[in-house]
Amino acid sequence: MVSVAVTVQQTARPAPAKEVVSCSGRQTYHDDMAKILYTEAVISQRVAELGRQIAQDYQGKAPLVLGVLKGSFMFFSDLVRAIEPCPRGLTLDFIRASSYGSGTESTGEVKLKADLKLEKVEGRHVLLVEDIVDTALTITTVSRYLLEECGAASVATATLLDKHERRKLVYRPEYVGFLCPNEFVVGYGLDFNEEYRTIPYIGVLKPECYSHLGIEAPEPDGSGESSDE
Ligand code: IMP
């Protein structure tokens, strides 16, 4: 078991209350959506395109496709099936990343957990699969860990969403599903307070879905409470 903790600067996020209450009596997650940004059909078409491109680029490279949990779980499972024709030697694994912001302090932490055996990574061409690259603190931490600590031959990133306007570190993912507007989004693996991960499209919540937790709706700058661990 490999476990590393890396402390990086990160904008503080408001801490939600612990209680889980339904959103103003609405019955389903679908009722909580203010708008849908990417439908199931649009996502599916784009994932198929990315899969074909990745298959071409990794022929003969026996890639290690590494999902960054939890947010990438849905994108990961769709993407790996779309990597066709599948390069020989392709294998899968997962790494768990969690970021914490506390109260009003401007310090955050990116923690990585993986039971990756180092020999599984050493010399391999690693393709990281992320749900969203936002500030890029998480993906930068994971990439550095794989290259510097695990001896990966190369590290590239496939992210479904790229919220490029919010970068704190310079990072350009090699494969991007969609350039995401500056909004806090949920669905297709992405959560708010652990909810909404299972809905099959990506949308933006109604403001009242935040107020029952005693917090403000995230500003359009995208900050919000996402518990990716
Ligand atoms: P980072 O800021 O690039 O390090 O992103 C860290 C993590 O925050 C991502 O992997 C997501 O899980 C989460 N995240 C960032 N933006 C959003 C969002 O709009 N909705 C849900 N989760 C998000």
Side-chain angles (χ1 to χ4, degrees), residues 20 29 70 96 189-198 225-229:
V20 177
Y29 284 157
K70 297 178 194 171
R96 186 172 270 229
L190 290 140
D191 75 306
F192 171 67
N193 202 27
E194 281 300 331
E195 297 191 279
Y196 307 102
R197 287 193 196 276
T198 55
E225 184 66 23
S226 174
S227 37
D228 230 23
E229 59 170 323

Side-chain angles (χ1 to χ4, degrees), residues 130-132 134-138 163 184-185 190-191 226 228:
E130 252 290 30
D131 51 353
I132 186 166
D134 185 18
T135 62
L137 295 172
T138 303
K163 220 192 268 182
F184 192 82
V185 295
L190 290 140
D191 75 306
S226 174
D228 230 23

Side-chain angles (χ1 to χ4, degrees), residues 64-141:
L64 170 61
V65 184
L66 202 57
V68 183
L69 294 173
K70 297 178 194 171
S72 75
F73 81 95
M74 208 177 280
F75 177 44
F76 183 92
S77 68
D78 286 344
L79 183 68
V80 291
R81 283 176 290 169
I83 301 177
E84 279 296 340
C86 189
R88 279 201 77 79
L90 182 151
T91 58
L92 308 178
D93 220 316
F94 296 93
I95 190 161
R96 186 172 270 229
S98 51
S99 31
Y100 299 90
S102 63
T104 55
E105 290 182 33
S106 61
T107 311
E109 214 180 8
V110 177
K111 280 190 175 174
L112 305 182
K113 272 192 199 166
D115 62 357
L116 286 171
K117 293 207 171 79
L118 291 190
E119 61 268 25
K120 273 193 183 174
V121 180
E122 204 168 14
R124 297 289 299 276
H125 294 284
V126 179
L127 178 66
L128 285 171
V129 178
E130 252 290 30
D131 51 353
I132 186 166
V133 177
D134 185 18
T135 62
L137 295 172
T138 303
I139 204 72
T140 302
T141 304

